[in-house]
């Protein structure tokens, strides 16, 4: 595990000067939490990068700021917008690496808690997560703290494996929700699993374990009281909600996340050319828009508009489906499958989904991808699509060989290793799905070549949206296909 961490650190060093907007976001949050009273944190708006994570993450930034003041106090001034001294850069990068120890610990515990017969597959799965191109791209080049946060998620999932630590698992997940609210997408699976496995009897759902329910309920309330209590006292909950859930943003993010709405948007663009031939009306405002997908600016030229209520209803529907099986079969494998499928549903049908949220699916799925070859068959296209979809996050020429070579190396290494380690299933595999999956993976190479090199060679600066649209649409096909394949596996295993 430690050698894996060293690999990640080594990959980060050449890119120490690379800075995304998220670098300034987190520097500004350090300044806000260090310089201002707590009651002003969620009102401060000097920078456009206002604090929009839950209170526990704000406390986390405050904790880091205590060390930042020893490195370079200038980074902690709210009005020092865009400040990026080399001390600040090294400090920020170092905190990402250090806090990733949480992920290393969680994965080590996952390996230790696995049955003896599954030790080698568990070790391979753990290393695949630790060395994930997604974490390299998002955390160590683009800049975020996902390694730390997903470490807490994996730790919570692993603790749910043993009945003696189920309560700790639930409380840790509650704390995680107060660190980053994107994990709300997975909360329904936790609710059903803890209800069924911890609060109700194993033989009858009418046998309620009142003491367990009381401990869990009071524990969760205590966690949220610590996080939200001060803001409730100051009557700031509406302000907090407006920061955490900005529904004024459009359906699609500035770069289309590879989900159902990316395919919907792609279809709409194609329909612009087809509509006049079949007599359909076209919304010219949508056709002329050059910022499609930016905040508050999602519109369609031919297809009907999608509302936030529609996305919520579809997300809830496709989460309820796997949760029904979890309720009647509250085993750990079923729980991880339900967490994965809740992540799928939220990513595929959610409102204003970020492309980085694909890790909500990849990381839980990795824990059970080697259960048998049917699981692996559904995981393969997800691994390719999910990581390729992150490429547009880092787009400079210097970063292209790093992200491309590393991702291809990871895919070849781990997919081949997984293929050797995954045991045969006692159920037949879907022959056509396997062959289509291999074809899909093969297409990724020419796609990467076109988007990174050939498009600019042929078109220069014209049609700049095409590489993004092709990447997003290609990845969306893979994610949707993987979701359908895993739904079949989940309900037939």
């Amino acid at each position: 595990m430690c050698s894996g961490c060293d690999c990640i650190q080594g990959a980060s060093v050449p890119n120490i000067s690379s800075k995304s907007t998220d670098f300034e976001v987190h520097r500004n949050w350090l300044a806000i939490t260090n310089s201002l009273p707590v009651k002003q944190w969620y009102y401060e708006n000097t920078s456009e990068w206002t604090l929009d994570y839950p209170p526990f993450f704000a406390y986390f930034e405050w904790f880091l700021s205590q060390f930042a003041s020893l490195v370079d106090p200038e980074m902690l001034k709210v009005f020092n917008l865009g400040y990026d001294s080399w001390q600040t850069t090294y400090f920020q990068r170092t905190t990402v690496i250090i806090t990733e120890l949480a992920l290393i610990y969680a994965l080590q515990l996952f390996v230790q808690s696995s049955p003896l017969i599954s030790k080698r597959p568990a070790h391979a799965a753990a290393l695949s997560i630790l060395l994930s191109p997604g974490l390299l791209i998002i955390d160590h080049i683009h800049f975020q703290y996902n390694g730390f946060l997903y470490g807490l998620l994996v730790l919570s999932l692993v603790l749910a494996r043993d009945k003696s630590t189920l309560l700790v698992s639930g409380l840790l997940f509650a704390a995680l929700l107060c660190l980053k609210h994107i994990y709300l997408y997975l909360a329904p699976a936790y609710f059903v699993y803890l209800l069924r496995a911890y609060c109700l009897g194993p033989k009858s759902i009418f046998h309620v374990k009142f003491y367990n329910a009381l401990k869990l309920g009071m524990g969760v309330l205590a966690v949220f009281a610590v996080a939200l209590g001060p803001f409730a006292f100051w009557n700031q909950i509406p302000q907090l909600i407006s920061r955490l859930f900005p529904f004024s943003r459009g359906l699609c993010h500035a770069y289309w996340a590879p989900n159902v709405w990316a395919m919907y948007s792609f279809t709409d663009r194609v329909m612009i050319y087809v509509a006049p031939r079949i007599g359909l009306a076209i919304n010219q405002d949508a056709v002329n828009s050059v910022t499609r997908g930016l905040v508050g600016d999602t519109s369609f030229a031919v297809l009907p508009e999608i509302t936030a209520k529609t996305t919520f209803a579809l997300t809830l529907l496709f989460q309820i489906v796997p949760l029904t099986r979890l309720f009647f079969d509250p085993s750990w494998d079923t729980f991880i499958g339900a967490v994965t499928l809740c992540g799928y549903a939220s990513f595929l049908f959610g409102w204003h989904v970020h492309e980085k949220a694909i890790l909500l699916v990849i990381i839980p799925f990795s824990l059970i991808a080697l259960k048998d070859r049917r699981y692996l068959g559904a995981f393969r296209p997800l691994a390719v699509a999910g990581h390729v979809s992150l490429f547009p996050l880092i787009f400079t020429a210097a970063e292209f060989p790093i992200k491309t070579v590393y991702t291809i190396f990871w895919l070849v290494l781990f997919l081949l290793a997984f293929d050797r380690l995954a045991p045969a299933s006692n159920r037949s595999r879907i022959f056509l799905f396997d062959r289509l999956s291999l074809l899909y993976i093969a297409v990724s190479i020419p796609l990467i070549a076109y988007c990174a090199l050939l498009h600019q060679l042929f078109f220069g600066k014209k049609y700049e949206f095409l590489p993004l649209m092709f990447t997003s649409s290609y990845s969306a096909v893979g994610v949707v296909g993987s979701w359908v394949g895993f739904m079949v596996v989940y309900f037939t295993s």
Side-chain angles (χ1 to χ4, degrees), residues 98-120:
I98 292 174
T99 56
E100 209 164 56
L101 290 172
L103 179 61
I104 295 174
Y105 172 74
L107 292 173
Q108 185 66 33
L109 190 63
F110 166 66
V111 174
Q112 291 176 349
S113 65
S114 298
L116 185 61
I117 195 173
S118 303
K119 289 290 185 185
R120 288 186 64 195

Side-chain angles (χ1 to χ4, degrees), residues 255-368:
Y255 159 57
W256 299 345
N259 59 12
V260 167
W261 309 127
M263 299 171 72
Y264 192 83
S265 298
F266 178 80
T267 303
D268 184 70
R269 300 309 287 179
V270 173
M271 289 296 293
I272 291 174
Y273 303 98
V274 176
R277 302 174 185 276
I278 58 178
L280 294 178
I282 298 177
N283 179 359
Q284 291 299 326
D285 291 336
V287 174
N288 296 331
S289 173
V290 295
T291 57
R292 292 170 53 79
L294 293 179
V295 175
D297 188 42
T298 301
S299 57
F300 297 101
V302 180
L303 298 178
E305 297 294 339
I306 303 297
T307 65
K309 291 181 179 179
T310 301
T311 64
F312 177 79
L314 288 172
T315 301
L316 185 61
L317 170 64
F318 287 109
Q319 286 190 340
I320 289 174
V321 173
L323 293 179
T324 53
R325 186 192 171 193
L326 177 62
F327 185 81
F328 293 104
D329 176 24
S331 65
W332 187 78
D333 284 349
T334 307
F335 169 56
I336 301 301
V339 167
T340 301
L341 287 169
C342 281
Y344 266 118
S346 302
F347 184 83
L348 289 174
F349 301 101
W351 179 267
H352 197 78
V353 174
H354 287 242
E355 59 282 348
K356 292 167 282 193
I358 191 61
L359 293 182
L360 279 173
V361 185
I362 294 176
I363 289 180
F365 200 167
S366 298
L367 300 179
I368 56 172

Side-chain angles (χ1 to χ4, degrees), residues 4-5 8-9 12 94-106 129-130 135-136 139-140 144-149 151:
C5 189
I8 290 183
Q9 294 181 33
S12 303
T94 302
T95 59
V96 170
I97 295 171
I98 292 174
T99 56
E100 209 164 56
L101 290 172
L103 179 61
I104 295 174
Y105 172 74
I129 294 173
L130 183 62
L135 292 178
L136 172 70
D139 281 10
H140 297 278
Q144 282 191 359
Y145 290 94
N146 288 287
F148 164 62
L149 295 170

Side-chain angles (χ1 to χ4, degrees), residues 20 183 223 270 273 279 285 315 373 486:
S20 68
Y183 297 102
V223 170
V270 173
Y273 303 98
D285 291 336
T315 301
R373 300 189 71 81
F486 185 52

Side-chain angles (χ1 to χ4, degrees), residues 129-183:
I129 294 173
L130 183 62
L131 302 178
S132 165
L135 292 178
L136 172 70
I137 291 171
I138 297 174
D139 281 10
H140 297 278
I141 300 179
H142 185 74
F143 189 81
Q144 282 191 359
Y145 290 94
N146 288 287
F148 164 62
L149 295 170
Y150 279 102
L152 297 181
L153 174 64
V154 172
L155 181 58
S156 174
L157 293 173
V158 173
L159 290 173
R161 203 171 200 169
D162 193 320
K163 290 185 178 180
S164 65
T165 51
L166 263 177
L167 177 62
V168 180
S169 170
L171 298 183
L172 181 59
F173 182 73
L176 182 60
L177 292 178
C178 296
L179 278 162
K180 192 170 184 179
H181 49 304
I182 194 173
Y183 297 102

Side-chain angles (χ1 to χ4, degrees), residues 167-206:
L167 177 62
V168 180
S169 170
L171 298 183
L172 181 59
F173 182 73
L176 182 60
L177 292 178
C178 296
L179 278 162
K180 192 170 184 179
H181 49 304
I182 194 173
Y183 297 102
L184 278 170
Y185 291 149
L186 311 182
Y190 269 89
F191 175 80
V192 172
Y193 183 65
L194 289 171
L195 172 68
R196 192 65 182 85
Y198 188 71
C199 298
L200 300 180
K203 296 182 179 180
S204 173
I205 61 174
F206 300 105

Side-chain angles (χ1 to χ4, degrees), residues 276-485:
R277 302 174 185 276
I278 58 178
L280 294 178
I282 298 177
N283 179 359
Q284 291 299 326
D285 291 336
V287 174
N288 296 331
S289 173
V290 295
T291 57
R292 292 170 53 79
L294 293 179
V295 175
D297 188 42
T298 301
S299 57
F300 297 101
V302 180
L303 298 178
E305 297 294 339
I306 303 297
T307 65
K309 291 181 179 179
T310 301
T311 64
F312 177 79
L314 288 172
T315 301
L316 185 61
L317 170 64
F318 287 109
Q319 286 190 340
I320 289 174
V321 173
L323 293 179
T324 53
R325 186 192 171 193
L326 177 62
F327 185 81
F328 293 104
D329 176 24
S331 65
W332 187 78
D333 284 349
T334 307
F335 169 56
I336 301 301
V339 167
T340 301
L341 287 169
C342 281
Y344 266 118
S346 302
F347 184 83
L348 289 174
F349 301 101
W351 179 267
H352 197 78
V353 174
H354 287 242
E355 59 282 348
K356 292 167 282 193
I358 191 61
L359 293 182
L360 279 173
V361 185
I362 294 176
I363 289 180
F365 200 167
S366 298
L367 300 179
I368 56 172
L370 291 173
K371 185 177 180 180
D372 64 41
R373 300 189 71 81
R374 295 173 83 232
Y375 280 76
L376 179 59
F379 179 76
R380 280 198 201 99
L382 172 69
V384 175
H387 291 117
V388 169
S389 73
L390 297 173
F391 278 17
L393 283 175
I394 49 175
F395 46 81
T396 66
E399 293 161 341
F400 171 75
I402 297 172
K403 69 181 182 183
T404 306
V405 173
Y406 187 86
T407 300
I408 292 175
F409 175 77
W410 184 93
L411 288 170
V412 171
L413 175 65
F414 283 104
L415 290 185
L416 286 177
F418 283 11
D419 195 60
R420 289 175 175 270
L421 291 170
S425 172
N426 56 7
R427 291 179 177 268
S428 59
R429 294 159 65 190
I430 304 173
F431 177 84
L432 182 61
F433 182 79
D434 286 349
R435 295 302 177 268
L436 289 176
S437 176
L438 291 174
L439 176 63
Y440 176 83
I441 293 171
V443 171
S444 65
I445 302 301
L447 175 78
I448 293 170
Y450 171 79
C451 293
L453 303 171
L454 300 179
H455 177 83
Q456 189 171 10
L457 184 64
F458 292 149
F459 299 108
K461 293 186 177 181
K462 294 181 180 179
Y463 313 115
E464 290 182 328
F465 69 94
L466 274 180
L468 290 178
M469 185 172 70
F470 287 154
T471 299
S472 184
S473 299
Y474 165 83
S475 300
V477 171
V479 176
V480 171
S482 171
W483 171 63
V484 172

